[in-house]
Amino acid sequence: MSELSVVEGGAEGGPPVPDSEENRRQVLYWRLLARLFDPEEQASLESASVAVVEDIGLPVALLDPAASVDSVVQRHPDLAAEFDGLMTPEPDADGERNRAAEVRRAALVSKVLLNVFSTGNGTVTAEQLARWQSDAGWLERALGCRPGDLRGGRGGAGRAPAGGGVSPTGTGVGTPAPDLSRLIPEIGPELGSIEAGLVQRMHLREVLADPALASRLTPSMSLIEQLLRDKNNLSGVALANAKALIRRYVDEVTEVLRTQVEKASVGELDRSVPPKRVFRNLDLDRTIWKNLTNWDPEEERLYVDRLYYRHTSRKTTPQRLIVVVDQSGSMVDSMVNCTILASIFAGLPKVDVHLIAYDTQALDLTPWAHDPFETLLRTQLGGGTDGTVAMALAQPKIAEPRNTVVVWISDFYEWRTDELFESMAAIHRSGAKFIPVGSVTSSGRGSVNPWFREKFKDLGTPVISGHIKKLVHELKTFLT
């Protein structure tokens, strides 16, 4: 350690004195950095960290890279609550840090970060992947999110972190640690990348062929991507287990997205339609107010001449939704999310959903649009990108432009850029609503061809990018 923090205020006019709590905190973080960049132990840092952890009453198992957070919490259940929001602490009332508490937090933070970001080399087993997924879930909890949120596929973050963070070189009393909420947009995709790497290091076919091993797998976007890519090479028990994992994942994400659709804004009440005269629609307050003139003060009784009911019918018109999804290698997350989203909107009344997937060839998946599981099994992920083949399928489906919305999901890195954009602009000019979407991932991270981005902006149809909730809101507003 080349630098240790100090606290001002030794003898008047004298040099500052060392802050023992800050030194302890830095020992733990320097040990974390050392282990992240070099798996070999640094004897002095290890022994110093053991002494710190024991002295503050925490289990030494926190320093064991082979021990999962789950195993530590199982032996010491009281620690579970400490991991929730661990990296987003609320500031003390007086604005100053509790340095002793910071040391304890440093030990817990180090455990989570080391387990998640130090993944080693070599083949990964199903048990190791499951352990990493569990540890990543603890990291997400520490950041104030629900497990699975940051890695994608299960919706948005649970709550916005309050701030705070960790730093290996604190600067003394009252200095806040970095605000980790700013890092969450980067942490999510990074976790997804690590998980994808672990999946690629698995002998996945052998794992799927063994029901006991397959049962240990937790479905995630990275795992589903690998299963979809490899499904044509699977058969028998391995294929059945792969389908079961895909089905589990689809069901989980469908539930989350359906909730988002239900919560999104809906159409205005249609007061031209008489309210349905059933008890659940009875407007009791209005009924009493309108009949107050019938109050009999002698009998102290209100006579009701007329009942009033609430309007619940909303203005809806038949709509056609055409979803075109780039299924090339860079758009797998979007393909999965949009396939599920299309199936949800296909279940809405008076919404005619069409689904097209493409790379260098286009596939009309409309017959299966109501079933995302069957749709995904028919996709062929990977390959190049040629949107003109998809446009050839999409354009004939626009029968009534004013009543049609076309959602085009892609990174827009195309071969025939001018030809494709001109056909998209023609759809927009026809009166149909054209919505270009750069990414519909849970993390909101995606790359869009800057040429297309500027062209769409000039056209007045800027690219939607970010969280899938943005697309849900746009579609729900137009279709209901």
Side-chain angles (χ1 to χ4, degrees), residues 323-341:
V323 181
V324 183
V325 189
D326 179 350
Q327 65 171 357
S328 62
S330 60
M331 298 295 292
V332 175
D333 197 342
S334 292
M335 181 71 216
V336 173
N337 277 290
C338 284
T339 296
I340 295 171
L341 193 59

Side-chain angles (χ1 to χ4, degrees), residues 402-413:
R402 297 285 178 185
N403 213 22
T404 302
V405 58
V406 178
V407 179
W408 197 291
I409 301 101
S410 176
D411 55 12
F412 298 100
Y413 284 93

Side-chain angles (χ1 to χ4, degrees), residues 30 39 65 70 75 145 148 165 180 190-191 197 218 228 247 260 280 288-289 314 336 341 371 409-410 426 447 460:
W30 282 118
D70 268 341
R75 295 172 194 164
C145 305
L180 277 179
E190 186 62 28
L191 291 180
T218 300
L228 291 173
R247 172 72 77 179
Q260 292 180 5
R280 68 172 178 272
I288 293 174
W289 177 258
R314 296 183 182 275
V336 173
L341 193 59
D371 189 339
I409 301 101
S410 176
S447 173

Side-chain angles (χ1 to χ4, degrees), residues 84 87 172 207 209 214 232 260 265 351 376:
D84 287 324
M87 296 183 179
V207 171
N232 293 331
Q260 292 180 5
S265 59
V351 178
L376 288 172

Side-chain angles (χ1 to χ4, degrees), residues 116 132-142 145-148 151:
V116 171
W132 183 90
Q133 289 173 326
S134 174
D135 287 334
W138 283 104
L139 174 58
E140 288 164 320
R141 287 177 59 172
C145 305
R146 292 182 298 268
R151 285 167 284 163

Side-chain angles (χ1 to χ4, degrees), residues 38-52:
D38 185 354
E40 294 296 324
E41 292 186 1
Q42 301 293 323
S44 59
L45 285 175
E46 292 295 327
S47 59
S49 297
V50 169
V52 171

Side-chain angles (χ1 to χ4, degrees), residues 21-74:
E21 299 294 353
E22 189 68 15
N23 290 347
R24 288 180 173 189
R25 189 176 77 102
Q26 290 192 26
V27 163
L28 294 171
Y29 283 137
W30 282 118
R31 183 248 177 198
L32 167 65
L33 291 175
R35 293 301 294 261
L36 284 174
F37 291 102
D38 185 354
E40 294 296 324
E41 292 186 1
Q42 301 293 323
S44 59
L45 285 175
E46 292 295 327
S47 59
S49 297
V50 169
V52 171
V53 167
E54 288 181 332
D55 191 51
I56 61 178
L58 287 173
V60 178
L62 285 172
L63 301 176
D64 181 4
S68 67
V69 177
D70 268 341
S71 66
V72 174
V73 169
Q74 286 172 3

